[in-house]
Amino acid sequence: MEIRGRWWNASWGRMARRDIWLVSDGRLWRVRGRLGGDGGQEVSYDFPDEASARSMVARMMKTSASTWRDLTEAVRQESNRRQIH
């Protein structure tokens, strides 16, 4: 599965942090959400198309009053850097 989107609510701490990933293998689209840092509570939802998956991402962001940051490009750059080395 390839990361197609990655967001963070810009909050630190086990109770406040939220993370969202959008991944796809080209057929299946999966949205993963995590409350808390590493080891926090996770949920995932599978969708047949990108539009439905992105709609879920938007709904998940609306449930948190935080300012969300799009980390997608940073994650891609890090992945590319690791592949080169």
Side-chain angles (χ1 to χ4, degrees):
M1 297 280 257
E2 178 184 339
I3 294 177
R4 302 293 179 96
R6 172 73 171 86
W7 299 269
W8 168 53
N9 72 340
S11 295
W12 296 98
R14 187 155 170 76
M15 297 304 294
R17 184 181 179 120
R18 307 261 192 296
D19 295 277
I20 299 173
W21 292 265
L22 174 62
V23 297
S24 178
D25 64 2
R27 293 179 302 117
L28 176 72
W29 290 82
R30 178 170 292 152
V31 177
R32 285 183 39 230
R34 182 171 61 202
L35 168 60
D38 291 340
Q41 181 182 353
E42 288 196 25
V43 296
S44 68
Y45 305 95
D46 292 339
F47 299 92
D49 58 76
E50 182 177 5
S52 299
R54 287 193 181 272
S55 179
M56 174 57 82
V57 168
R59 283 189 301 238
M60 291 171 79
M61 286 182 183
K62 286 180 185 177
T63 65
S64 175
S66 300
T67 301
W68 286 88
R69 295 187 183 177
D70 188 341
L71 304 177
T72 306
E73 190 57 37
V75 169
R76 284 188 184 135
Q77 288 176 5
E78 178 64 17
S79 177
N80 289 341
R81 187 186 67 75
R82 287 182 181 176
Q83 289 176 1
I84 293 171
H85 294 95

